[in-house]
Amino acid sequence: MYTFIQSKATGSESEKLLELERMKRNLEHQLQEMAKTVERQQELIALAKRDSLTGLRNRQGVPEQVNARLRVDCEGTFFIMDMDNFKSVNDTYGHMEGDHVLVRFAKGLKKAVDAVDIVARLGGDEFVIFSPGHFDKYEVKAKAQRIIRQIERELVVPGRLMRVTVSMGIACAPHDGVTYEALYENADRALYSVKNEGKNGYRFFAELGGAKEGAVVYDRPHRSLEEITSKLRERKMEGSFEVEYSNFEQIYRFMERNLIRNRREVQCVLFTLDDFGDPVEADEIAVRGQLEHLAHAVVSSLRKGDVTTKYSSTQVLALLMDVNKENADMVVNRILARYRAEAGKEVMNVRYDIQQLMASEEVEK
């Protein structure tokens, strides 16, 4: 006769197996959740590196990407560009229309570039492209022209009398730099040169310094004199003529050479935001806001024949036409009263200096 004895451990082993199975399922679930979290984090990182308005890359990560390409193959072309007179688009049509223009600008860029290019909006109306690899100068010129033409086609709005043009600076690796930082700086210098010499064109950094004739390639279409002067008269002027400092300097030289000889009095006035000697460093945003209030007070208080410019982060320059020293003091007091009325609680003290322009011959003496 045989007797079967059931092991007491059988039930215990079964429970252990069930527990292990539960632990396995929990671990799989945790791993799935971790994978989803990592995926979401990667999506957030990718979104953080994208410009929310245009969908292009933003300034985050672009230097690393360009430098990585340059380390692999130290050749490539760096384009930096912006829209000419974009501020007037915002001022005339509003910031919403300005955003639409930026979106169309980006759309034109996407159509004009190659698949391997790195394209980004760095902020405002500033865009960059890095094209890795070797290109000869004629290929780069052709690409620059293609980019500008495509952007301008995208910016044409039916029924809207608005033409936005593009200025571009170009730097090439390795001759103009072997890092993003160097290429950006040199392309930006070329862009500044285009802006300073009339806008609406492109220029190579390599052609700076030597002042080669024709180095700036202008993209302006041929027009008649009547069309050009009609275009020049389009902008309605209110208050003084506000210009960039480089243009202000040229106007100053023109007046020094010509207007003063005709016995016309011109006063040059410098307004400076003053911190009352307080050693505590002023808040940068507050100072910038006060400079805008001061500049607005200057521009809106002067006449159409006067000229103004922002000289620095705390100074505004003005040229007052056909005004003697006594009347200049009266004009300045009117400007300061308007500034104080607009500046609010963060109003700052403003110093001013007045100097009468003299003919260039007298200055040389």
Side-chain angles (χ1 to χ4, degrees):
M1 179 177 175
Y2 296 95
T3 303
F4 293 94
I5 301 173
Q6 185 175 0
S7 173
K8 294 181 180 179
T10 304
S12 177
E13 288 176 0
S14 177
E15 290 175 1
K16 287 181 180 179
L17 289 173
L18 290 172
E19 182 64 23
L20 288 172
E21 185 65 30
R22 282 195 295 270
M23 290 174 63
K24 178 184 175 184
R25 286 197 299 268
N26 287 338
L27 183 58
E28 288 175 346
H29 178 72
Q30 290 175 17
L31 289 172
Q32 289 173 358
E33 289 300 313
M34 288 173 63
K36 290 178 182 179
T37 300
V38 170
E39 186 178 352
R40 283 195 294 269
Q41 289 175 341
Q42 290 175 339
E43 289 174 355
L44 290 172
I45 291 170
L47 284 173
K49 293 182 179 181
R50 288 284 171 182
D51 175 50
S52 59
L53 180 64
T54 64
L56 297 176
R57 291 181 176 90
N58 60 24
R59 63 174 62 249
Q60 287 191 33
V62 173
E64 291 82 0
Q65 286 182 310
V66 174
N67 285 329
R69 295 282 184 92
L70 288 169
R71 282 192 293 270
V72 174
D73 182 9
C74 191
E75 289 185 312
T77 308
F78 192 91
F79 305 85
I80 183 170
M81 68 213 79
D82 65 19
M83 283 177 275
D84 300 321
N85 307 313
F86 180 61
K87 183 177 181 296
S88 65
V89 175
N90 283 328
D91 292 345
T92 304
Y93 300 105
H95 289 279
M96 186 173 292
E97 179 60 29
D99 285 349
H100 291 159
V101 171
L102 290 171
V103 170
R104 292 196 294 272
F105 190 106
K107 186 178 179 181
L109 273 185
K110 291 173 187 176
K111 289 182 178 179
V113 299
D114 299 315
V116 296
D117 291 346
I118 297 171
V119 189
R121 177 193 175 206
L122 299 188
D125 63 330
E126 185 180 49
F127 295 80
V128 297
I129 300 170
F130 178 70
S131 298
H134 173 74
F135 303 93
D136 64 36
K137 190 171 182 178
Y138 296 101
E139 290 176 309
V140 176
K141 280 186 173 182
K143 185 162 188 171
Q145 292 168 354
R146 183 173 75 248
I147 292 168
I148 291 173
R149 292 282 186 268
Q150 186 61 55
I151 291 169
E152 291 184 345
R153 279 196 290 269
E154 290 294 335
L155 293 178
V156 173
V157 180
R160 177 66 61 82
L161 296 175
M162 176 179 65
R163 180 173 181 265
V164 180
T165 57
V166 180
S167 292
M168 176 188 288
I170 305 170
C172 302
H175 302 293
D176 303 331
V178 293
T179 64
Y180 169 90
E181 293 74 18
L183 292 173
Y184 175 90
E185 180 180 352
N186 291 333
D188 192 51
R189 288 173 63 185
L191 173 63
Y192 178 81
S193 175
V194 176
K195 292 286 191 181
N196 198 36
E197 296 185 31
K199 305 179 182 180
N200 193 16
Y202 61 89
R203 190 172 204 170
F204 287 83
F205 171 74
E207 294 173 336
L208 295 180
K212 296 181 181 180
E213 186 176 354
V216 177
V217 183
Y218 294 108
D219 270 354
R220 303 187 187 98
H222 289 284
R223 296 183 184 276
S224 67
L225 179 59
E226 183 179 355
E227 288 174 320
I228 293 172
T229 54
S230 175
K231 187 71 177 174
L232 289 171
R233 289 193 300 267
E234 278 183 8
R235 185 179 177 185
K236 183 181 178 181
M237 284 186 61
E238 298 291 343
S240 68
F241 184 42
E242 189 176 14
V243 298
E244 298 294 331
Y245 177 71
S246 57
N247 295 326
F248 183 92
E249 186 177 12
Q250 293 177 30
I251 294 169
Y252 183 99
R253 299 300 180 198
F254 174 78
M255 292 180 177
E256 195 178 57
R257 289 183 178 183
N258 298 281
L259 301 183
I260 311 303
R261 294 177 185 174
N262 298 327
R263 300 180 184 276
R264 296 179 65 179
E265 290 188 275
V266 179
Q267 307 293 330
C268 185
V269 185
L270 176 64
F271 297 88
T272 303
L273 291 172
D274 195 359
D275 61 1
F276 299 91
D278 187 351
V280 179
E281 186 176 327
D283 180 74
E284 182 182 349
I285 296 176
V287 172
R288 193 184 308 147
Q290 290 306 307
L291 183 70
E292 291 299 325
H293 285 305
L294 176 60
H296 180 262
V298 173
V299 172
S300 58
S301 299
L302 300 183
R303 301 163 300 174
K304 292 181 180 180
D306 300 328
V307 184
T308 59
T309 188
K310 293 175 186 174
Y311 179 74
S312 72
S313 60
T314 57
Q315 293 180 304
V316 177
L317 268 170
L319 292 175
L320 311 185
M321 297 296 300
D322 299 316
V323 174
N324 59 29
K325 180 65 169 60
E326 292 73 21
N327 288 335
D329 284 320
M330 294 173 57
V331 172
V332 167
N333 288 328
R334 184 169 70 243
I335 290 170
L336 295 180
R338 175 167 289 189
Y339 163 68
R340 287 190 290 268
E342 295 180 0
K345 293 185 292 185
E346 295 181 333
V347 62
M348 294 182 178
N349 186 44
V350 179
R351 295 187 284 109
Y352 70 90
D353 298 294
I354 303 176
Q355 185 180 87
Q356 182 168 326
L357 267 68
M358 295 182 291
S360 54
E361 291 87 347
E362 296 178 47
V363 173
E364 290 171 3
K365 293 176 183 178

